[in-house]
Amino acid sequence: MVNVRTVLAQTQLNYDMKKIIIALLLICAITGSNAIAQAFKEKYRPQFHFTPKANWMNDPNGMVYHNGIYHLFYQYYPDDKIWGPMHWGHATSKDMIAWKEQPIALYPDSLGYIFSGSAVVDKNNTAGFGKDALVAIFTHHDPVEEKKQTGKHETQSIAYSLDDGKTWTKYKGNPVIQNPGVSDFRDPKVRWFEPQKKWVMTLATKDRITFYSSPDLKSWTRGSEFGANEGGHGGVWECPDLFPIKHEGKDIWVLIVNINPGGPNKGSAGQYFLGDFDGKTFTSNSKETKWLDFGTDNYAAVTFANTGNRNILMGWMSNWQYANQVPTDPWRSANTIARELGLKTVGKETYLTSVPVKELDVLNTTTFSMKNVKVKDQLDLTDKAKNKTGLFRLDLTTKNTADFSIVLANEAGNELIVGYDKAKNQYYIDRSKSGAIDFEKGFGEKHIAPRFATGSDIPLTLIADVASVELFADNGLTVMTDIFFPETPMSKLSIKSVSGINVDNLKYTVLKPSVE
C-alpha cells in the first residue's frame, strides 16, 4: 500500500499545502467519500474540452448539426483506456462547448469494428430511409479478414437514424463499397454536391484520396484519385474532408488530409490542399505542403456537416506517438475546441485560417485589459489575474521587433512556454519542463511553427485549459495545439522579453468550466 506521508514528503509542496491534503484524505477515509480522491485522480481532466467519462477515445467522426443540436460521434472503446475494438461514441451539445455524453451509437458487428466516417442530413430522402434522416457513413474494419492479409479488410457501410441520433439502424445491404484490395481504405467523408445533385465521398486510400459519387448513399461510383505525388507522405493518409470556402468572390475547395506519422513536429498531423473540385476531380492550385496545426495534438480534424456557411472544425487532441501512454485516468484523450475556418491570401499563396468559434465566449468570466505596456525582462500577470485554475484566454497584440515568450507556471516549478523567435520568424511551444513528460521519450520537446503573416503587428490568442494550450497567431494563419500534464494547476502567468517589446493591447479573461 502507498504511504501517503512518504509520497507527500517527496513532492514539491509547501508545508501548509501538505497538511491540507492530509486533512482532506482523512476526511475521505472517515466519511467514506471518494469525491475528493476522484478529483485528485482526475487532475488532468479538461474543463471545457470534450472528454469521455471513462475509457479510450480517438478520432471525432460523424459530426453533424441537426435540429438545433451539434452531434459529436467519436472512435470509442468502452472496455479499456487503451485502443481496442472501435465503436462510435456519441455526445451532444447546443453550443459545441458544453457536451453531454450519450449512449454508444454504433457497435461492432459481423462485418467488423466501426471505424471513422461521417454523417449527413438526407433532406431530400435520397436513400429512402425518411425525409431528414440522419445517415452515418463509416468504415467496417474486419480483424479476421485483416489477418488473412488480403488487403480487403476495410469496407464502407451506412446506418440511419429517424429519432435525431438516439437510435441507429444499420443498412441491410452493407457494405455499400467493397474493397478493391487497398490495405488502408477508410474514413469516408460525405457531402451533397448541389450542381450535380449527388453525394460525393472523399475516401482515404493508403497514400492518396479516392473520390466516389452516389445518387442515394447506397450505390457508389468511383471517380478519381488525388495526391499520389502531392503533399506530405511520411505516413498513411487518413480522415479526409472536402468543402468549399468563398474567398474574394469565388469558391475555393479545401481538401484536408490527416497523416500519421509525418507531421511537421513528428507523429500525427493534418495537412490541407486548396484548389478546384468539379464533382469528380480535385485539382490543387499549389505545390506547397500546408499544415492545419503545427502543434502535435490536433489529429483527425474534420468539419461538422449541415452548418450552412460556417466551416467548423474539431480534432482529436492527442498524437499516436503517445496517445496510449498519457497519464490520465480513467479516460484517455480529449477533443480540441471547435474552430471556424476561413482563407487568407499572403503574397501569392492562400492559406487556411482557424480561429476559436464565437460560442466559446460563454465561458468568459472576469477580465482585465492593458494598453501600451513595455515589457523588459518580465511582466508578471499572476496577481492581476487572480486565477488559481489555469483556465484562461489571453488576447494580445505586439510587434515583431524582438523575441518574447508567454510563460505558464505553477507552484511545483513546471513551466509551459509559448513564444516567438524573431531571428527565425517562428512561433514555438516548449513543454520540456511542463510536468509529467517521462511516459514517452519524445513528449517533452519544443515544437516550432513558421510565421506566414508579413505585417509587423503580431496578434495572438492563447486558450489554456487544465492540460492543453491552443495558440492562434496572426488571426489564425499559424495555429499550434499542445497537451501537457502539470503537477498542479498553471496558476502563474508572465510575459518575458530580454531585449524588450511593447504590448499594444492585452486582454486576459478567466474561463469557467463548461456546465455539463
Side-chain angles (χ1 to χ4, degrees):
M1 183 175 174
V2 175
N3 185 311
V4 174
R5 289 186 182 276
T6 301
V7 172
L8 289 172
Q10 295 171 348
T11 58
Q12 298 175 341
L13 296 172
N14 63 39
Y15 180 69
D16 289 337
M17 182 62 79
K18 291 176 182 178
K19 284 201 300 186
I20 291 168
I21 292 173
I22 290 171
L24 290 171
L25 290 169
L26 284 171
I27 291 168
C28 289
I30 293 166
T31 62
S33 167
N34 68 353
I36 297 171
Q38 187 71 6
F40 278 109
K41 185 181 178 184
E42 296 195 356
K43 66 179 178 177
Y44 303 131
R45 173 81 74 176
Q47 296 299 295
F48 55 85
H49 292 79
F50 176 74
T51 54
K53 290 184 177 70
N55 298 311
W56 171 268
M57 175 182 78
N58 58 290
D59 308 356
N61 39 233
M63 300 191 304
V64 61
Y65 182 65
H66 184 54
N67 290 339
I69 299 293
Y70 291 92
H71 292 265
L72 164 66
F73 300 93
Y74 50 91
Q75 294 288 277
Y76 185 56
Y77 182 45
D79 298 329
D80 204 342
K81 61 173 187 170
I82 58 172
W83 189 93
M86 286 289 98
H87 302 55
W88 268 27
H90 185 200
T92 54
S93 175
K94 293 179 180 177
D95 60 6
M96 297 180 283
I97 309 300
W99 292 96
K100 185 173 183 181
E101 198 166 341
Q102 302 291 350
I104 290 170
L106 296 173
Y107 287 81
D109 54 39
S110 61
L111 293 176
Y113 305 157
I114 312 296
F115 271 22
S116 291
S118 51
V120 297
V121 180
D122 190 8
K123 296 174 183 175
N124 301 320
N125 193 24
T126 62
F129 299 135
K131 182 174 167 51
D132 287 330
L134 282 177
V135 180
I137 309 96
F138 57 92
T139 296
H140 261 122
H141 178 99
D142 185 345
V144 177
E145 188 69 24
E146 185 178 21
K147 288 177 181 175
K148 297 177 184 176
Q149 297 184 327
T150 62
K152 297 185 177 183
H153 56 279
E154 291 182 339
T155 55
Q156 315 316 316
S157 296
I158 60 175
Y160 62 93
S161 174
L162 302 176
D163 56 5
D164 294 330
K166 293 183 181 67
T167 60
W168 291 84
T169 302
K170 289 171 184 163
Y171 176 50
K172 291 179 180 177
N174 282 338
V176 295
I177 299 181
Q178 294 284 358
N179 191 321
V182 180
S183 57
D184 299 290
F185 186 76
R186 55 178 174 263
D187 312 333
K189 186 67 193 286
V190 173
R191 66 172 292 113
W192 180 252
F193 189 71
E194 179 61 27
Q196 296 171 16
K197 299 287 191 288
K198 67 180 184 181
W199 298 99
V200 171
M201 177 189 292
T202 307
L203 192 68
T205 52
K206 202 174 182 66
D207 62 348
R208 64 199 67 184
I209 296 301
T210 304
F211 297 103
Y212 289 80
S213 62
S214 171
D216 58 7
L217 296 168
K218 296 173 179 175
S219 57
W220 292 88
T221 302
R222 187 179 179 282
S224 68
E225 289 183 350
F226 169 81
N229 300 304
E230 299 193 61
H233 283 274
V236 67
W237 282 22
E238 295 187 310
C239 302
D241 199 353
L242 179 72
F243 51 91
I245 296 182
K246 196 163 284 297
H247 179 59
E248 297 177 353
K250 62 178 250 182
D251 278 345
I252 292 183
W253 284 81
V254 181
L255 174 63
I256 291 174
V257 179
N258 289 272
I259 181 172
N260 175 58
N265 281 292
K266 297 181 184 176
S268 322
Q271 60 183 321
Y272 68 90
F273 305 87
L274 304 178
D276 298 310
F277 182 69
D278 62 6
K280 181 179 181 181
T281 304
F282 177 84
T283 306
S284 176
N285 61 18
S286 171
K287 291 297 181 183
E288 182 180 328
T289 300
K290 297 173 178 173
W291 299 99
L292 269 177
D293 193 309
F294 286 85
T296 54
D297 296 299
N298 182 7
Y299 189 60
V302 289
T303 60
F304 281 89
N306 203 39
T307 52
N309 292 327
R310 299 180 75 190
N311 294 285
I312 302 170
L313 176 123
M314 188 180 284
W316 174 48
M317 202 158 60
S318 196
N319 190 306
W320 281 115
Q321 199 170 302
Y322 42 74
N324 279 288
Q325 288 87 42
V326 294
T328 59
D329 187 61
W331 84 100
R332 275 221 173 94
S333 302
N335 283 337
T336 68
I337 59 168
R339 297 128 185 244
E340 189 142 3
L341 303 179
L343 293 170
K344 171 85 171 172
T345 298
V346 180
K348 294 181 179 180
E349 284 288 342
T350 301
Y351 297 95
L352 198 61
T353 60
S354 304
V355 295
V357 291
K358 60 182 184 289
E359 285 85 350
L360 195 71
D361 290 349
V362 73
L363 301 177
N364 293 356
T365 59
T366 59
T367 66
F368 69 82
S369 298
M370 304 170 76
K371 287 182 182 295
N372 298 318
V373 181
K374 286 185 168 50
V375 179
K376 183 77 165 88
D377 294 327
Q378 176 171 303
L379 172 66
D380 194 333
L381 299 172
T382 305
D383 290 342
K384 200 167 179 64
K386 296 183 177 64
N387 184 1
K388 299 292 186 187
T389 68
L391 278 57
F392 69 85
R393 173 175 179 150
L394 180 67
D395 295 283
L396 67 81
T397 304
T398 185
K399 300 279 194 298
N400 64 334
T401 54
D403 296 353
F404 67 89
S405 61
I406 302 164
V407 182
L408 286 64
N410 60 15
E411 299 288 348
N414 305 149
E415 286 188 345
L416 182 94
I417 305 170
V418 180
Y420 171 68
D421 184 321
K422 164 71 175 170
K424 295 179 179 177
N425 199 29
Q426 291 176 339
Y427 298 105
Y428 64 87
I429 298 177
D430 185 348
R431 60 185 182 193
S432 60
K433 299 177 183 175
S434 62
I437 61 172
D438 60 353
F439 53 87
E440 195 270 333
K441 64 180 181 180
F443 185 83
E445 294 185 353
K446 179 179 179 179
H447 305 136
I448 60 172
R451 180 173 191 243
F452 297 107
T454 54
S456 59
D457 283 352
I458 294 183
L460 299 180
T461 294
L462 183 66
I463 295 177
D465 201 340
V466 170
S468 66
V469 287
E470 290 161 278
L471 172 68
F472 303 88
D474 298 307
N475 301 309
L477 267 173
T478 300
V479 180
M480 300 186 79
T481 304
D482 270 8
I483 58 174
F484 60 99
F485 302 98
E487 294 169 64
T488 59
M490 293 296 209
S491 56
K492 299 180 178 183
L493 181 68
S494 59
I495 300 173
K496 297 183 179 181
S497 178
V498 174
S499 52
I501 60 166
N502 189 75
V503 177
D504 301 322
N505 292 284
L506 182 153
K507 182 180 180 183
Y508 178 95
T509 306
V510 178
L511 302 180
K512 64 184 178 182
S514 53
V515 293
E516 292 188 58

Coordinates of all heavy atoms in Angstrom, one line a residue, residues 207 227 230-235 237 257 259 262 271 273 289-291:
D207 N -2.1 6.0 -49.6 CA -1.2 7.1 -49.8 C -1.8 8.2 -50.7 O -1.2 9.0 -51.3 CB 0.1 6.7 -50.4 CG 0.0 6.1 -51.7 OD1 -1.1 5.8 -52.2 OD2 1.1 5.9 -52.4
G227 N -3.4 12.9 -55.1 CA -2.4 13.0 -54.1 C -1.2 12.0 -54.1 O -0.4 12.1 -53.2
E230 N 1.6 14.4 -54.4 CA 1.4 15.7 -53.8 C 1.3 15.7 -52.3 O 0.9 14.7 -51.7 CB 0.2 16.4 -54.3 CG 0.2 16.6 -55.9 CD -0.8 17.5 -56.4 OE1 -0.8 18.7 -56.0 OE2 -1.7 17.1 -57.2
G231 N 1.8 16.7 -51.6 CA 1.7 16.8 -50.1 C 2.7 15.9 -49.4 O 3.6 15.3 -50.0
G232 N 2.5 15.8 -48.1 CA 3.4 15.0 -47.3 C 3.0 13.6 -47.3 O 1.9 13.2 -47.3
H233 N 4.1 12.7 -47.4 CA 3.9 11.3 -47.4 C 4.7 10.5 -46.4 O 5.2 9.4 -46.7 CB 4.2 10.8 -48.8 CG 3.1 11.0 -49.8 ND1 2.0 10.2 -50.0 CD2 2.9 12.1 -50.6 CE1 1.2 10.7 -50.9 NE2 1.7 11.9 -51.3
G234 N 4.8 11.1 -45.2 CA 5.6 10.5 -44.2 C 4.9 9.3 -43.5 O 5.5 8.6 -42.7
G235 N 3.6 9.2 -43.8 CA 2.8 8.1 -43.2 C 1.5 7.9 -44.0 O 1.4 8.4 -45.1
W237 N -2.3 8.1 -45.2 CA -3.3 9.2 -45.3 C -4.6 8.7 -44.6 O -5.0 7.6 -44.9 CB -3.5 9.6 -46.8 CG -2.5 10.5 -47.3 CD1 -1.2 10.6 -46.9 CD2 -2.6 11.4 -48.4 NE1 -0.5 11.5 -47.6 CE2 -1.3 12.0 -48.6 CE3 -3.6 11.7 -49.3 CZ2 -1.1 12.9 -49.6 CZ3 -3.4 12.6 -50.3 CH2 -2.1 13.2 -50.5
V257 N -6.4 16.4 -45.4 CA -5.9 15.0 -45.3 C -5.0 14.9 -44.1 O -4.0 15.5 -43.9 CB -5.0 14.6 -46.5 CG1 -4.5 13.2 -46.4 CG2 -5.8 14.8 -47.8
I259 N -2.5 12.8 -41.6 CA -1.4 11.9 -41.9 C -0.7 11.4 -40.7 O -0.5 12.2 -39.7 CB -0.4 12.6 -42.9 CG1 0.7 11.6 -43.3 CG2 0.1 13.9 -42.3 CD1 1.6 12.2 -44.4
G262 N 4.4 11.7 -39.8 CA 4.8 12.6 -40.9 C 4.5 14.0 -40.7 O 4.7 14.8 -41.6
Q271 N -2.8 17.9 -42.9 CA -2.3 18.8 -44.0 C -3.6 19.2 -44.8 O -4.6 18.6 -44.6 CB -1.3 18.1 -44.8 CG -1.8 16.8 -45.5 CD -0.7 16.1 -46.3 OE1 0.1 16.8 -47.0 NE2 -0.7 14.8 -46.2
F273 N -5.0 20.9 -48.8 CA -4.7 21.4 -50.2 C -5.9 22.4 -50.5 O -7.0 22.1 -50.1 CB -4.7 20.2 -51.1 CG -3.7 19.2 -50.8 CD1 -4.1 18.1 -49.9 CD2 -2.5 19.2 -51.3 CE1 -3.2 17.1 -49.5 CE2 -1.6 18.2 -50.9 CZ -1.9 17.1 -50.0
T289 N 3.4 22.2 -49.3 CA 2.7 21.3 -48.3 C 2.3 22.2 -47.1 O 3.1 22.9 -46.5 CB 3.6 20.2 -47.8 OG1 4.0 19.4 -48.9 CG2 2.9 19.4 -46.7
K290 N 1.0 22.3 -46.9 CA 0.4 23.2 -45.9 C -0.2 22.4 -44.7 O -0.8 21.3 -44.9 CB -0.7 24.1 -46.5 CG -0.1 25.0 -47.6 CD -1.1 25.7 -48.4 CE -0.5 26.6 -49.4 NZ -1.5 27.3 -50.3
W291 N 0.0 22.9 -43.5 CA -0.5 22.2 -42.3 C -1.6 22.9 -41.6 O -1.5 24.2 -41.4 CB 0.7 22.0 -41.4 CG 1.8 21.1 -42.0 CD1 2.9 21.6 -42.6 CD2 1.8 19.7 -42.2 NE1 3.7 20.5 -43.2 CE2 3.0 19.4 -42.9 CE3 0.9 18.7 -41.8 CZ2 3.3 18.0 -43.2 CZ3 1.2 17.4 -42.1 CH2 2.4 17.0 -42.8

